[in-house]
Amino acid sequence: MNTTMLEVEDLTVKIGDKTVLEDINLTVKEGELTVIMGPNGSGKTSLALTIMGHPAYKIVKGKIILNGEDITNKSTEERALKGLFLVFQNPVEIPGITLYSLITAAYNKRQGKTELTKTMPELQEKIKIEAKLIGLKQELLEREINIGFSGGEKKRSEVLQAKILRPKYIIMDEPDSGLDIDGVRIVADIIKEFIETKRSVILITHYPRVLQYIDPHQVIILYKGRIVAKGGKELVEKIDKQGYQWLENKSN
Ligand SMILES: Nc1ncnc2c1ncn2[C@@H]1O[C@H](COP(=O)(O)OP(=O)(O)OP(=O)(O)O)[C@@H](O)[C@H]1O
Ligand SMILES: [Mg+2]
């Protein structure tokens, strides 16, 4: 039996007293692209952060299973080491740490090295090459993470981390928002390459434009914290034409 997948089972999540997700069921298989859409405030980022184990999101019902293992109560770090990675919708600023040193430390951790190796010329070279391909200026690698970065530069720096660390499961929370047209193409190419190398991608987006370049295996619509529709690419086209109002009666 192939258990290489991420499964979300009957998940209900609260922040404080507010229920942000209700009865979510989702299976993400190896080598597949799952697209999650939904209006602002419908729970997309909450789902991404819950899967990553953010402590503010309390799971009151259900489980998260990764490769057959229940990870519902595992820490974010353990989840990351097991292959989960999140490209943040709103990347945080990290004073005092450069992008280069962050990627090096995370890379080493994944290789099972506890100490930060000082000189890693090969990795350094790889980071430089990938940064160039992603359209991220070299000087940003040496600057404090996200401090003074433009919106698009922040997104590109997140995508660079994903490209170097090559997680098995990657959740991208609106990687295309704020990106110029070349940036969107780059993100689409990366998603394609991840799928072709048997990784799984969960793409949260408001725009069908990335999907001009790649077909999703499944499309899920969140509305008021619930999954109200599941389908294929045609669902993205329908949302693009009609918006979300037609889903209102399905959310009750
Ligand atoms: N820390 C928090 N405290 C209180 N409410 C929160 C918190 N985080 C999220 N929420 C609420 O949960 C709901 C879902 O938010 P979420 O960020 O998941 O939406 P989203 O679907 O990602 O929206 P967008 O498309 O705007 O990114 C919103 O009503 C939001 O205000
Ligand atoms: Mg969001």
Side-chain angles (χ1 to χ4, degrees), residues 186-198:
I186 288 165
V187 166
D189 284 345
I190 288 169
I191 293 173
K192 222 182 202 166
E193 196 258 330
F194 270 56
I195 295 302
E196 282 164 6
T197 51
K198 291 261 171 224

Side-chain angles (χ1 to χ4, degrees), residues 142-208:
E142 302 295 343
R143 262 171 50 188
E144 292 177 293
I145 295 167
N146 293 325
I147 295 176
F149 285 25
S150 77
E153 286 168 349
K154 283 182 189 170
K155 292 279 153 152
R156 281 179 158 90
S157 97
E158 290 281 302
V159 169
L160 174 65
Q161 294 167 47
K163 270 225 87 178
I164 302 287
L165 300 175
R166 303 192 65 70
K168 181 79 182 168
Y169 299 88
I170 181 166
I171 308 169
M172 299 178 127
D173 194 354
E174 301 195 26
D176 48 350
S177 72
L179 275 190
D180 59 34
I181 207 80
D182 292 339
V184 171
R185 183 68 206 244
I186 288 165
V187 166
D189 284 345
I190 288 169
I191 293 173
K192 222 182 202 166
E193 196 258 330
F194 270 56
I195 295 302
E196 282 164 6
T197 51
K198 291 261 171 224
R199 285 152 221 287
S200 311
V201 180
I202 299 176
L203 171 69
I204 298 171
T205 185
H206 286 294
Y207 307 106

Side-chain angles (χ1 to χ4, degrees), residues 89-176:
Q89 179 175 6
N90 300 310
V92 288
E93 297 181 347
I94 313 179
I97 298 179
T98 65
L99 185 54
Y100 176 71
S101 59
L102 175 81
I103 296 176
T104 307
Y107 185 88
N108 281 342
K109 187 98 195 180
R110 279 172 170 73
Q111 305 293 312
K113 294 180 193 156
T114 44
E115 278 177 55
L116 206 150
T117 315
K118 284 203 183 80
T119 49
M120 292 187 73
E122 275 165 42
L123 181 62
Q124 192 165 11
E125 196 52 33
K126 193 174 161 61
I127 294 172
K128 274 191 186 158
I129 292 168
E130 292 292 353
K132 198 165 184 191
L133 289 173
I134 287 167
L136 192 73
K137 282 181 272 165
Q138 301 284 318
E139 54 127 340
L140 294 176
L141 296 171
E142 302 295 343
R143 262 171 50 188
E144 292 177 293
I145 295 167
N146 293 325
I147 295 176
F149 285 25
S150 77
E153 286 168 349
K154 283 182 189 170
K155 292 279 153 152
R156 281 179 158 90
S157 97
E158 290 281 302
V159 169
L160 174 65
Q161 294 167 47
K163 270 225 87 178
I164 302 287
L165 300 175
R166 303 192 65 70
K168 181 79 182 168
Y169 299 88
I170 181 166
I171 308 169
M172 299 178 127
D173 194 354
E174 301 195 26
D176 48 350

